[in-house]
Amino acid sequence: MSRPKPATFDKKKIVAENRRARFDYAVDTTYEAGIVLTGTEVKSLRFGEGSIAESYAEVKGDEVWLVNSNIPEFSHGNRFNHEPKRPRKLLLHEREINKLHGAVAREGMTLVPLTVYFNGQGRAKVELALAKGRKAHDKREHLKERDWKREAGRIMRDHG
């Protein structure tokens, strides 16, 4: 019998965050994926370097790859250093990969990385979102709705 997954992911140290993704995309579901890294990539991430601002994930066959993420070379890596923008394999269960593949192929959704972090056990993880792109008018509507919720909270707090 498998253990139930926690509602939120155990994020101990957030290394990189894609803050623009929640604005540009309507996030449907999120997945926690492991990431295959080399030694110098892990060291670079532990120093807080790395960016996923313009990256995305894609399903190729029965594997998921993180494309266009930037983990700069480690300063003391010498000849064992890694290529900064290489595609990196993400580790997910086969059932999750099949769900993602179906959603991307049929419903036109996108796989967007939201954060790269280290969990409580010191493992590098990626929070991957299955999302649908927002049009310009949807973005404006989202901003109005968010501002109204913030204003309503202020009004309730002041006159509550």
Side-chain angles (χ1 to χ4, degrees):
M1 191 155 132
S2 63
R3 280 186 289 171
K5 289 194 175 181
T8 57
F9 305 127
D10 182 25
K11 297 180 185 178
K12 293 292 181 192
K13 179 185 177 190
I14 294 178
V15 177
E17 191 171 10
N18 189 354
R19 298 180 61 178
R20 185 106 179 127
R22 293 197 187 271
F23 179 70
D24 289 339
Y25 298 94
V27 174
D28 185 27
T29 54
T30 57
Y31 297 91
E32 181 181 46
I35 184 168
V36 177
L37 299 172
T38 63
T40 53
E41 287 174 326
V42 174
K43 289 179 179 183
S44 239
L45 284 177
R46 288 209 189 275
F47 276 113
E49 299 173 352
S51 170
I52 56 170
E54 295 176 2
S55 63
Y56 62 95
E58 63 183 5
V59 181
K60 288 183 182 175
D62 57 349
E63 296 176 338
V64 180
W65 293 86
L66 183 63
V67 180
N68 208 19
S69 63
N70 184 26
I71 299 175
E73 290 186 343
F74 183 57
S75 57
H76 306 306
N78 62 35
R79 67 177 184 197
F80 300 110
N81 246 329
H82 60 277
E83 187 181 326
K85 286 209 168 210
R86 74 175 183 88
R88 293 166 176 92
K89 185 177 176 181
L90 297 179
L91 305 172
L92 289 159
H93 290 284
E94 188 176 350
R95 188 174 56 243
E96 291 175 331
I97 293 172
N98 292 337
K99 277 184 191 177
L100 294 175
H101 181 65
V104 169
R106 279 187 237 105
E107 300 167 28
M109 299 186 96
T110 309
L111 292 173
V112 182
L114 298 177
T115 55
V116 174
Y117 60 93
F118 286 100
N119 68 359
Q121 298 167 334
R123 306 235 192 264
K125 301 286 184 175
V126 176
E127 185 179 7
L128 195 64
L130 191 59
K132 193 147 187 94
R134 283 195 177 122
K135 305 277 192 256
H137 58 85
D138 291 337
K139 292 178 190 178
R140 286 192 295 268
E141 183 118 357
H142 178 69
L143 282 176
K144 285 180 193 175
E145 184 178 324
R146 190 178 67 192
D147 290 344
W148 168 244
K149 283 183 181 176
R150 189 177 296 142
E151 190 63 32
R154 280 194 200 115
I155 292 169
M156 292 297 286
R157 187 183 67 229
D158 293 343
H159 299 295

